[in-house]
Amino acid sequence: MYPLSAIAATNIPMQKRVYIETYGCQMNEHDSERILRLLEGSDYLETKDAQEADFILINTCSVREKPEHKVYSALGRYRWLKEKRGVIIGVAGCVAQQEGERILSKFPLLDFVVGPQKIHHLNEILGEVEGGRRRVCEIGFEDNVSANTILPHSTQHRAFVTIMQGCDNFCSYCIVPYVRGRERSRPSHTIISEIEALVQKGTKEVILLGQNVNSYAKNDPHELTFLQLLAKINEIQGLERIRFTTSHPRDFTEEFIESFAGLRRLCEHIHLPFQAGSNTVLRRMKRGYTKEEYLAKVIKLREVVPNASITSDVMVGFPGEKERDFAQTLDLMRAVQFDGLYSFKYSPRKGTGAARWRDDIPAEIKQRRLEILQEFQRGITLRKNKALESDVLEVLVEGCSRNSPREMMGRTRCNRIVNFPGGDDLVGESVKVKIEVGLTNSLRGELCYKEEKIC
Ligand code: SAM
Ligand code: SF4
């Protein structure tokens, strides 16, 4: 940064600030990281305070109604900043892709919209807007899946790496194939070199991202399979942990499960969304598996990796969901004993198959089912976390705890958050922590010792 006196005495431009507001899924968080990385070479520095920004970017997803609505309320909130200081305002992500010109005409304060696959044009778009030339709508799909791949920001100890984009599954409730396009996998050599570069910068843990990672490169006989890709990544020296998300239960095969334990750097955590416990509902969701098939895969996984933690996504209030269907969702949860669960109320998404059916479950019933389910899961999660009390777990330290600057926060291999007293010299290190208390959303512990060398 330039000192203020120097700015006054010369013609050096005042540093401009960008504020990014992100809603929705991990994909979006990763896109926001990529946006910051893209802006590194520009005049913009990140700020965490919208009030001091010269450029505000709202990056949101339209998978559910709630994050979509947040865009509109954010635009209302920032209107006065536009009127008072003329800040540039843009919308990125799936909502931009879905609404395109419509959102531009609805909100005259908006300078541009950019779809998830056009983010790499951001600097050109900004140039056009700053030059006062026009309002920009840059949406659509890219054939070249590497075009919008940008190395994530800075030296993170934990980094997301996109291995594929889009989705071919067309589950009847889901907007993703419409706003993120058809499934396209990145060439494996670019993924591997990206991870090698990240590791050189200090990354210890990578999270491979895709809507359906187990179908990686399924149409390309010359490309590695997902399993082969994992095996290659597992060989990268200096990398400590590999995770991936999301696995589709249909493509999560026995062969894959059997190989799981053989990959040392692969963490013992699987996110395997089940969505519903009723076969009638699963069929209407077009998920391509039954609850019996789902359970069989969980049992197999627990045979091969007994300490694997399993998390999932579930929805309540899908059109036509009866009380007995909902009871079967609870039955499945009882049988699996998930370590964590993301639960949602169904909301119709324009253009999807299910949106043609009446959204016939009243809001209060959806809410009641959600609360019952969440209460049930809270009990399971708490019991599982308490069972870890007195265990010594490997924790990769990510930074200061939210609770106190004297505490550090890290993650176990099974993806549990652990808070413990310690200093920031531990950031990026793998340490052993003795778990003292298991809580609903996290664990608390005491540092035992710094791990010698994991790799
Ligand atoms: N690809 C992942 C899979 O196959 O499960 C899920 C990706 S989706 C972006 C994340 C979660 O949002 C889904 O697992 C589902 O539970 C939820 N979701 C998707 N569409 C929804 C809708 N229309 N209403 C409510 N929740 C929805
Ligand atoms: Fe959506 Fe289904 Fe694709 Fe997941 S697998 S992104 S839920 S269409």
Side-chain angles (χ1 to χ4, degrees):
M1 286 285 289
Y2 303 111
L4 281 175
S5 53
I7 294 168
T10 68
N11 287 330
I12 296 170
M14 185 86 87
Q15 184 72 59
K16 292 188 279 188
R17 305 269 166 180
V18 55
Y19 173 76
I20 305 187
E21 194 158 303
T22 311
Y23 299 112
C25 55
Q26 276 178 333
M27 290 273 178
N28 257 35
E29 281 172 32
H30 181 48
D31 282 348
S32 291
E33 277 175 16
R34 290 165 51 211
I35 289 166
L36 282 175
R37 179 79 173 85
L38 259 176
L39 291 173
E40 267 177 10
S42 75
D43 299 337
Y44 289 95
L45 265 189
E46 188 189 10
T47 172
K48 298 284 183 199
D49 180 2
Q51 309 305 319
E52 63 171 33
D54 304 283
F55 165 32
I56 295 176
L57 187 65
I58 303 156
N59 184 20
T60 190
C61 90
S62 55
V63 166
R64 290 174 297 278
E65 203 170 27
K66 213 165 150 190
E68 184 180 342
H69 283 169
K70 284 186 175 163
V71 170
Y72 303 119
S73 58
L75 286 173
R77 217 169 41 248
Y78 297 133
R79 189 181 165 157
W80 73 274
L81 283 175
K82 178 80 179 175
E83 287 166 358
K84 196 168 156 216
R85 294 200 286 103
V87 293
I88 294 175
I89 302 185
V91 168
C94 304
V95 172
Q97 175 67 30
Q98 182 186 284
E99 295 301 315
E101 295 281 358
R102 272 197 301 272
I103 189 169
L104 275 180
S105 42
K106 211 156 136 193
F107 293 92
L109 83 162
L110 197 55
D111 294 293
F112 70 89
V113 291
V114 57
Q117 290 193 32
K118 298 288 181 180
I119 284 172
H120 56 291
H121 293 303
L122 185 61
N123 282 311
E124 296 149 46
I125 297 173
L126 272 173
E128 293 215 18
V129 171
E130 285 175 332
R133 286 192 283 279
R134 65 181 178 108
R135 298 169 80 210
V136 181
C137 177
E138 186 76 54
I139 57 174
F141 300 119
E142 286 284 341
D143 289 335
N144 177 3
V145 70
S146 296
N148 50 16
T149 303
I150 302 138
L151 205 59
H153 193 53
S154 70
T155 52
Q156 301 148 312
H157 301 295
R158 186 167 185 267
F160 293 106
V161 175
T162 302
I163 64 163
M164 60 205 294
Q165 294 172 349
C167 183
D168 283 348
N169 283 323
F170 290 92
C171 300
S172 64
Y173 51 80
C174 185
I175 195 81
V176 168
Y178 305 93
V179 291
R180 296 243 172 199
R182 302 302 292 264
E183 194 173 296
R184 296 163 320 285
S185 297
R186 277 179 69 194
S188 54
H189 66 92
T190 66
I191 297 170
I192 291 162
S193 46
E194 178 175 333
I195 297 174
E196 285 168 345
L198 283 166
V199 170
Q200 294 245 311
K201 283 176 146 194
T203 294
K204 303 279 177 67
E205 175 175 317
V206 288
I207 303 112
L208 310 179
L209 285 183
Q211 293 296 351
N212 185 10
V213 288
N214 293 78
S215 74
Y216 172 78
K218 66 172 189 257
N219 297 323
D220 184 353
H222 305 296
E223 189 43 282
L224 302 180
T225 62
F226 183 52
L227 200 48
Q228 290 166 334
L229 176 67
L230 284 176
K232 287 260 184 220
I233 298 172
N234 192 56
E235 284 164 17
I236 297 176
Q237 289 305 312
L239 181 66
E240 291 182 14
R241 293 176 171 188
I242 309 167
R243 302 183 191 278
F244 52 82
T245 191
T246 301
S247 286
H248 190 296
R250 190 199 51 218
D251 300 316
F252 192 68
T253 60
E254 283 222 356
E255 184 206 359
F256 184 82
I257 297 172
E258 272 157 16
S259 308
F260 202 94
L263 299 174
R264 188 165 67 92
R265 294 185 167 101
L266 199 55
C267 290
E268 297 78 15
H269 169 226
I270 285 287
H271 186 64
L272 196 63
F274 75 102
Q275 311 298 359
S278 147
N279 286 340
T280 317
V281 175
L282 285 171
R283 200 173 324 110
R284 300 181 71 232
M285 286 178 164
K286 291 177 118 189
R287 287 293 285 176
Y289 54 84
T290 61
K291 75 162 180 253
E292 291 78 12
E293 285 163 347
Y294 184 91
L295 260 177
K297 291 185 186 196
V298 167
I299 291 167
K300 177 82 190 170
L301 179 64
R302 292 226 164 106
E303 263 168 39
V304 177
V305 193
N307 59 342
S309 86
I310 304 180
T311 57
S312 197
D313 292 352
V314 62
M315 244 182 279
V316 295
F318 189 72
E321 184 190 66
K322 306 272 183 295
E323 282 299 326
R324 63 173 180 276
D325 295 314
F326 176 60
Q328 288 176 40
T329 289
L330 296 178
D331 287 346
L332 189 67
M333 287 168 61
R334 194 172 294 112
V336 176
Q337 300 280 306
F338 290 107
D339 294 79
L341 193 62
Y342 297 92
S343 44
F344 310 105
K345 289 185 275 189
Y346 166 76
S347 50
R349 307 283 69 207
K350 222 171 14 192
T352 60
R356 290 196 303 267
W357 301 322
R358 202 161 62 82
D359 183 19
D360 59 349
I361 310 299
E364 59 280 10
I365 295 188
K366 283 185 188 171
Q367 183 62 29
R368 181 177 56 78
R369 287 181 188 167
L370 189 73
E371 283 169 14
I372 292 173
L373 183 150
Q374 289 179 337
E375 184 58 33
F376 187 44
Q377 181 57 41
R378 253 195 301 278
I380 298 173
T381 312
L382 183 61
R383 188 182 50 72
K384 290 200 142 198
N385 285 351
K386 287 218 158 292
L388 294 171
E389 288 175 0
S390 302
D391 283 7
V392 175
L393 301 179
E394 179 199 300
V395 173
L396 179 58
V397 184
E398 288 177 22
C400 269
S401 151
R402 270 200 247 155
N403 313 331
S404 151
R406 284 188 297 278
E407 289 203 341
M408 302 312 289
M409 185 281 279
R411 217 173 278 262
T412 64
R413 285 177 63 94
C414 58
N415 212 31
R416 286 182 166 86
I417 302 276
V418 183
N419 293 299
F420 63 96
D424 56 13
D425 56 316
L426 296 175
V427 174
E429 301 283 344
S430 281
V431 295
K432 292 282 186 193
V433 175
K434 181 166 185 203
I435 305 306
E436 314 250 284
V437 190
L439 305 163
T440 322
N441 296 319
S442 63
L443 306 170
R444 289 191 54 77
E446 283 293 330
L447 181 67
C448 295
Y449 56 87
K450 212 153 125 174
E451 193 63 77
E452 277 309 298
K453 191 85 195 128
I454 304 262
C455 295

